[in-house]
Amino acid sequence: MENCRIRWRKVLYEHQAFPDNYVDQRFLEELQKNIYVRQYEYWSVVRESSVVTQQLASVCVFVVLWWYMDQGVLLPHWLFGTGLLFSLIGYLLFDVIDTGQGRRQNGRTRWADLKSATLFLTFTYGFSPLLKTLTESISTDTIYAMSVFMLLGHLVFFDYGANAAVVSSTLSLNMAIFASVCLASRLPRSFHAFVTVTFAIQIFALWPMLQKKLKASVPCCYLGVTVLCTVSALLGLLTISGVAALLFALLLFSVSFLCPLYLIQLQHYKDNIHGPWDEAEIKDDLPQFLK
Amino acid sequence: MAMKVFFPTCCNTADSGVLIGHWVPEMRMAVVLGVVHFPFIPNQVKQHLTEMQSLTGVDLCVLGSWSNHSPGNKDLSRFLEDLSGVFPHNIWIQLSKEKGGKFFNCYLSGPGPEGNAADRLILIFYDQRKVMLSHWHSVKADSLQNCSHVEVDHNSTSEFAMMFATVAKSECLFVMDIYDQGPVKMTHWQSEGKEASIVVELAKMASAPVCTLLSKLLFLVSGTTRTFNLWPVNFFWRKLSTCGQLGYRLEHLQTVSSTKKASSPSEHMRKANIFVSFLIDVFLGLLLISWLYRENRIGQMADALVPAADHVAKELTELLEWLMGAPAGLKMNRALDQVLGRFFLYHIHLWISYIHLMSPFIEMILWYVGLLASLGLTVALSVISDIIALLTFHIYCFYVYGARLYCLMVHGLSSLWRLFRGKKWNVLRQRVDSCSYDLDQLFIGTLLFTILLFLLPTVALYYLVFTLLRLLVVVVQGLIRLLVDLINTFPVFSILLRVCRAYRLAAGVKFHVLSQESGRPLHLLMQINPLTFSHIVQMYRLPTYSCYPQDSWSALCRKLFVGELIYPWHHKNEKQE
């Protein structure tokens, strides 16, 4: 029996009295669990999920308006005029909220904006007869399937503000434009096609830019705008088909309210372990260390 | 090593004398070239030998003695043994034969270790005339490629190659026959008298001035054709295969008519091949002319030509009308379809007007062009190939238009597809990189991508149809070219030589055992083994001026898929595109 208890040290380069795989009662005392887990609060998650709802509502509004034009209920110059008006209002709003800061940053003048706008309009107007006859010989079902696929892709790849690898704002915008061209080719005249494509650009390219600005500076206003959009989308869908409106409402409800609940409940099952075996992280704030 | 003595069969019945020949110590081989008869003066013999050595370059010496005696005559052998002291020698061979007997006795003696009489001796009989005229080819069996590789080995160290070379070089030794009054009387294959034919001698005498005249004429002709090297005549010159064929024949004629004597037997063979194939070509061409110009066949052909061109144009028009509808149930973009279809129809209309404009002159043109066939059948075939190319020129034009349009579309689509995914081709790094595009670039890019994608099936169908037509024409032209190539390069003279005088192309030797008895040396009869026909063709093929297709099948398919223009038959000296 040993009198002086030799303390076991966690080294292998010294010949100790213990076997090589021996550990004492200090085993895993450096283990830490879940130190980086975020604590979610229900209502803030619901507020953040409005980004997804807003995008779903945009897609719905686009499809509804296209449907109206296809039925002949909505006249294209109405849509064109309204769209132009709203774009102008949004542009002014953007400038007011921005207060010149972002403009100074990326150096884009108003003249360049005007040139871009003229370019869009001329190009689309010039190509609209070609766009109208593009898919004449393809069956309608194929067109609908392609559009649905493209719009889904748009929703999947959209930049909701998360830092994930699957996000690609270019791809999502391109898919939306492709879908709009596919749908535009089914309308009666070339002016319809022109209006559809212009409207698609406004709602898929310009509207998210304004949203981001609003969200960053005036969050409560942004929330109000989202609610407005969602309601108008639902109402529009209701006039077309009650079942579709019901399904859409269910979808929105589950995305906004049920998914955050599920997320928070799943947090209980988190079981991340950390310890001295983790990979070293290089910290960026070196000056703080040197102080 | 056994000692080999080569003895000419013509000296079997010669009178007694001394053996003249060549001795190779490394291979222990003695080649007997002739027998010098009694009476002779040794000094004169030595002088004659030195003269012959300087003329032929072969190391000649007296090899031994030969006695063809009647049975029972023993004094001669003593006399012959004493002769060994007269002439300087490394080895002394004593061959003796009984008159009327078949087999020889042989004794070796000589200073040094070479004269060991206990050595095995092999006596090989050879036909001197055949060996002198024949040309040795060494056949190396290439086990890697499983075929035999034939070459003419000038520095062959094989014993038989050396023996053949020795006999061939000693041609001037065999010039004097028994009717000449010379210092020495020698028996060899030509000693009964030289044979020659009058025709051959006359042709040889006439050939020298004819060759000079012909070479001067050809020099003039080639000088004038050099002026055709300027652009734009140069452009048309290269495109027509007739001109290529004519140039090739001109080169051949220049080779044949040059006044330099052939430096080596293979050079001589090549010249003979060119000459004979040219003659056959011209003969076939004249045959064709005599058939063509009888019974106004040219007129009939000219009358049939314009309706044939009309028929081709009508078929093409029908094809385009079919494409402009719904071909094979495929769905085309109607507007683009109409545009392309009308464009090509207008081209056909232009082409037909041109053909109708030319129709009064066609008979005359054909009559004069047909005269070109007198230069050879190959030229006639090239002319046919060129006529086909000219008649189907519109198909070639359509193919180029379709291919360029399709190529543009495919390249545009691939670049815009990269834009669709948000990527770009990095020219510096030669790879695809991500890129942040501006909003206007994205918009216009996606619009164009959609448009090109939906218009692709229409353009692809037109491209496919015209490519198939063009490939058909190319295949027909290629077949004609293959035939011309075959006539150009086949070595007719060599094949004829193999059939008639097989001993002139030696690939090896075979031995026939005449006697094998103990106490006597081994008697063997050497016979020449000629080259096989496949080796002859492989070796003596004339070089061809046309190339076979450059691209492998996979490269061709890739080019067709992307829309690059294909030029399957390239001439060897044309720039690669």
Side-chain angles (χ1 to χ4, degrees):
Chain A
M1 196 66 174
E2 294 166 26
N3 278 337
C4 50
R5 279 268 177 157
I6 305 167
R7 200 175 153 78
W8 173 79
R9 278 171 55 218
K10 197 174 166 199
V11 291
L12 282 177
Y13 49 78
E14 259 188 25
H15 192 64
Q16 305 183 75
F18 307 97
D20 278 344
N21 57 354
Y22 175 81
V23 281
D24 59 1
Q25 72 273 18
R26 289 181 291 138
F27 181 57
L28 284 186
E29 71 180 5
E30 284 155 356
L31 176 74
Q32 288 168 311
K33 279 202 181 190
N34 290 336
I35 44 177
Y36 296 124
V37 165
R38 289 172 56 168
Q39 296 298 326
Y40 291 110
E41 202 265 304
Y42 181 67
W43 287 110
S44 59
V45 176
V46 169
R47 262 200 296 275
E48 293 302 324
S49 76
S50 62
V51 190
V52 182
T53 337
Q54 168 70 65
Q55 205 53 33
L56 282 168
S58 301
V59 169
C60 187
V61 163
F62 176 71
V63 171
V64 163
L65 286 174
W66 172 80
W67 181 266
Y68 281 164
M69 274 208 289
D70 198 28
Q71 297 293 331
V73 172
L74 180 64
L75 293 170
H77 27 264
W78 269 81
L79 184 59
F80 185 56
T82 328
L84 224 53
L85 186 68
F86 275 113
S87 305
L88 210 60
I89 294 176
Y91 185 69
L92 290 170
L93 202 63
F94 189 90
D95 259 348
V96 160
I97 294 178
D98 195 28
T99 63
Q101 228 182 21
R103 204 170 270 284
R104 271 195 297 268
Q105 233 177 21
N106 62 12
R108 236 181 117 76
T109 63
R110 293 213 171 80
W111 176 239
D113 284 343
L114 187 64
K115 273 200 304 199
S116 289
T118 327
L119 187 71
F120 288 157
L121 289 174
T122 355
F123 223 88
T124 320
Y125 193 64
F127 269 148
S128 58
L130 177 58
L131 289 178
K132 195 198 148 323
T133 59
L134 208 55
T135 58
E136 249 180 342
S137 52
I138 302 186
S139 81
T140 316
D141 289 339
T142 318
I143 297 284
Y144 286 168
M146 263 201 304
S147 314
V148 165
F149 181 67
M150 287 294 157
L151 285 174
L152 271 176
H154 163 75
L155 287 171
V156 165
F157 290 111
F158 189 73
D159 185 12
Y160 295 110
N163 203 5
V166 82
V167 164
S168 167
S169 59
T170 324
L171 188 58
S172 78
L173 178 64
N174 285 341
M175 280 177 136
I177 306 283
F178 191 93
S180 74
V181 169
C182 284
L183 287 175
S185 64
R186 278 281 170 260
L187 293 174
R189 283 171 39 226
S190 52
F191 190 60
H192 289 92
F194 165 60
V195 166
T196 311
V197 176
T198 319
F199 181 62
I201 270 286
Q202 287 163 347
I203 204 171
F204 290 123
L206 301 177
W207 178 227
M209 278 165 59
L210 183 60
Q211 279 176 51
K212 279 201 178 65
K213 234 341 157 237
L214 273 180
K215 193 165 192 296
S217 24
V218 195
C220 51
C221 197
Y222 171 71
L223 215 57
V225 167
T226 308
V227 169
L228 195 66
C229 276
T230 322
V231 164
S232 44
L234 266 172
L235 281 176
L237 207 53
L238 200 63
T239 55
I240 295 177
S241 150
V243 176
L246 187 64
L247 286 174
F248 188 62
L250 276 176
L251 177 68
L252 288 178
F253 180 71
S254 59
V255 163
S256 296
F257 298 104
L258 292 181
C259 288
L261 200 64
Y262 194 48
L263 177 73
I264 292 173
Q265 282 200 339
L266 282 177
Q267 295 298 309
H268 293 312
Y269 298 106
K270 262 203 184 224
D271 194 10
N272 296 343
I273 52 177
H274 303 272
W277 52 81
D278 280 344
E279 278 177 23
E281 270 178 32
I282 300 172
K283 296 233 189 286
D284 280 328
D285 47 349
L286 194 57
Q288 197 186 15
F289 274 104
L290 293 177
K291 263 195 268 196
Chain B
M1 201 156 62
M3 164 93 176
K4 296 173 272 274
V5 176
F6 289 91
F7 193 76
T9 44
C10 49
C11 299
N12 270 354
T13 47
D15 289 333
S16 313
V18 282
L19 301 166
I20 309 278
H22 179 61
W23 160 248
V24 182
E26 309 86 51
M27 308 209 173
R28 299 180 61 71
M29 181 168 92
V31 181
V32 175
L33 292 169
V35 176
V36 172
H37 298 296
F38 307 118
F40 56 81
I41 305 169
N43 275 338
Q44 278 192 336
V45 171
K46 286 187 207 163
Q47 205 180 13
H48 182 69
L49 279 183
T50 340
E51 255 176 50
M52 285 293 126
Q53 201 162 320
S54 59
L55 273 178
T56 59
V58 176
D59 209 3
L60 294 169
C61 61
V62 176
L63 288 175
S65 67
W66 159 250
S67 82
N68 191 0
H69 57 89
S70 33
N73 196 341
K74 292 281 187 254
D75 305 326
L76 204 51
S77 48
R78 195 74 43 83
F79 171 59
L80 290 171
E81 263 175 41
D82 296 333
L83 274 179
S84 65
V86 180
F87 296 104
H89 58 271
N90 288 328
I91 186 139
W92 191 256
I93 306 171
Q94 284 177 306
L95 289 172
S96 67
K97 177 173 144 302
E98 289 188 8
K99 244 198 187 72
K102 269 209 297 188
F103 301 111
F104 293 15
N105 284 321
C106 184
Y107 298 102
L108 285 176
S109 63
E114 280 134 332
N116 196 348
D119 266 348
R120 267 189 62 74
L121 185 72
I122 306 180
L123 203 55
I124 305 179
F125 294 97
Y126 70 96
D127 188 328
Q128 202 166 46
R129 174 168 166 266
K130 287 192 178 169
V131 169
M132 191 190 85
L133 287 174
S134 115
H135 179 215
W136 181 262
H137 302 80
S138 64
V139 178
K140 287 207 270 269
D142 204 345
S143 54
L144 283 169
Q145 295 169 355
N146 235 6
C147 65
S148 325
H149 177 57
V150 190
E151 38 177 68
V152 177
D153 209 346
H154 294 292
N155 303 326
S156 174
T157 51
S158 142
E159 314 167 328
F160 298 105
M162 209 177 279
M163 181 242 167
F164 274 65
T166 312
V167 177
K169 277 193 250 184
S170 332
E171 203 178 324
C172 17
L173 199 62
F174 310 129
V175 162
M176 306 236 296
D177 53 26
I178 53 176
Y179 303 109
D180 289 330
Q181 300 295 326
V184 290
K185 281 211 287 280
M186 202 162 91
T187 305
H188 47 78
W189 71 274
Q190 240 181 14
S191 52
E192 299 295 318
K194 285 193 287 215
E195 6 171 285
S197 82
I198 296 232
V199 178
V200 171
E201 293 300 315
L202 279 176
K204 277 195 195 153
M205 279 200 292
S207 67
V210 165
C211 273
T212 338
L213 188 66
L214 201 59
S215 60
K216 290 231 168 23
L217 204 68
L218 287 172
F219 185 68
L220 271 173
V221 170
S222 66
T224 46
T225 53
R226 227 166 281 276
T227 60
F228 290 145
N229 271 347
L230 311 163
W231 201 90
V233 185
N234 188 26
F235 180 72
F236 291 113
W237 205 250
R238 276 201 333 239
K239 296 293 180 200
L240 293 174
S241 60
T242 317
C243 310
Q245 179 65 19
L246 283 173
Y248 184 62
R249 279 293 182 219
L250 193 70
E251 230 178 82
H252 276 180
L253 280 179
Q254 277 183 320
T255 324
V256 165
S257 68
S258 74
T259 45
K260 270 189 359 221
K261 205 168 143 56
S263 51
S264 69
S266 49
E267 181 78 28
H268 166 74
M269 198 68 102
R270 187 160 165 266
K271 274 184 153 184
N273 275 328
I274 292 176
F275 186 61
V276 170
S277 85
F278 180 67
L279 278 183
I280 289 183
D281 201 16
V282 170
F283 174 67
L284 287 174
L286 289 173
L287 213 65
L288 182 71
I289 283 188
S290 74
W291 175 81
L292 210 60
Y293 282 83
R294 232 183 289 161
E295 296 170 20
N296 197 22
R297 286 221 175 82
I298 293 273
Q300 283 174 7
M301 265 173 54
D303 284 337
L305 208 62
V306 175
D310 265 340
H311 178 72
V312 167
K314 198 166 73 71
E315 292 287 323
L316 265 181
T317 313
E318 270 174 25
L319 181 71
L320 281 171
E321 302 275 340
W322 179 68
L323 280 178
M324 273 162 62
L330 292 168
K331 304 203 180 118
M332 318 268 277
N333 187 316
R334 222 164 18 97
L336 185 63
D337 217 352
Q338 298 281 323
V339 164
L340 286 177
R342 290 220 188 102
F343 177 67
F344 289 131
L345 278 174
Y346 182 63
H347 259 81
I348 293 181
H349 170 77
L350 276 180
W351 182 248
I352 284 300
S353 326
Y354 171 69
I355 292 272
H356 281 222
L357 204 71
M358 287 268 293
S359 60
F361 306 110
I362 284 185
E363 183 173 344
M364 196 169 64
I365 292 176
L366 270 184
W367 204 89
Y368 284 115
V369 161
L371 284 181
L372 269 183
S374 66
L375 290 173
L377 183 67
T378 47
V379 180
L381 284 174
S382 313
V383 166
I384 290 178
S385 164
D386 284 335
I387 288 179
I388 290 178
L390 281 177
L391 279 183
T392 58
F393 188 63
H394 47 349
I395 293 182
Y396 178 63
C397 278
F398 288 171
Y399 165 69
V400 171
Y401 297 150
R404 289 254 187 254
L405 196 62
Y406 177 75
C407 182
L408 204 69
M409 217 163 211
V410 165
H411 280 193
L413 260 181
S414 60
S415 167
L416 288 173
W417 170 243
R418 286 193 286 264
L419 180 141
F420 194 82
R421 284 161 32 220
K423 299 204 187 295
K424 197 174 90 139
W425 175 253
N426 190 340
V427 184
L428 193 63
R429 292 295 197 107
Q430 294 289 309
R431 66 176 185 202
V432 175
D433 269 345
S434 62
C435 170
S436 58
Y437 288 101
D438 278 344
L439 191 61
D440 22 357
Q441 287 172 327
L442 276 180
F443 173 62
I444 293 178
T446 308
L447 216 58
L448 282 176
F449 175 72
T450 323
I451 291 172
L452 283 182
L453 186 67
F454 284 117
L455 291 180
L456 187 69
T458 314
V459 175
L461 190 68
Y462 273 90
Y463 171 67
L464 185 71
V465 166
F466 291 135
T467 308
L468 284 177
L469 283 175
R470 170 84 186 133
L471 282 180
L472 190 70
V473 172
V474 160
V475 161
V476 167
Q477 276 192 298
L479 283 174
I480 294 183
R481 217 186 245 226
L482 269 178
L483 191 61
V484 166
D485 208 32
L486 185 69
I487 300 180
N488 270 344
T489 60
F490 195 69
V492 185
F493 179 70
S494 306
I495 297 283
L496 281 177
L497 203 64
R498 167 74 176 83
V499 167
C500 306
R501 304 250 185 283
Y503 58 81
R504 290 187 75 149
L505 302 161
V509 290
K510 54 180 185 259
F511 295 101
H512 192 67
V513 176
L514 291 174
S515 110
Q516 194 171 8
E517 293 171 28
S518 59
R520 283 189 202 263
L522 179 66
H523 289 50
L524 294 172
L525 177 65
M526 184 172 90
Q527 284 169 336
I528 299 182
N529 219 7
L531 274 179
T532 55
F533 285 103
S534 57
H535 282 149
I536 291 180
V537 171
Q538 181 194 342
M539 208 179 140
Y540 286 115
R541 269 183 77 130
L542 296 168
T544 168
Y545 72 92
S546 76
C547 257
Y548 292 100
Q550 329 262 7
D551 311 311
S552 61
W553 285 109
S554 59
L556 188 69
C557 286
R558 192 191 66 85
K559 276 194 180 175
L560 282 176
F561 189 68
V562 170
E564 269 178 52
L565 290 174
I566 45 177
Y567 301 98
W569 314 102
H570 255 253
H571 282 257
K572 245 187 197 149
N573 43 9
E574 262 185 26
K575 276 204 311 257
Q576 310 262 349
E577 288 204 7

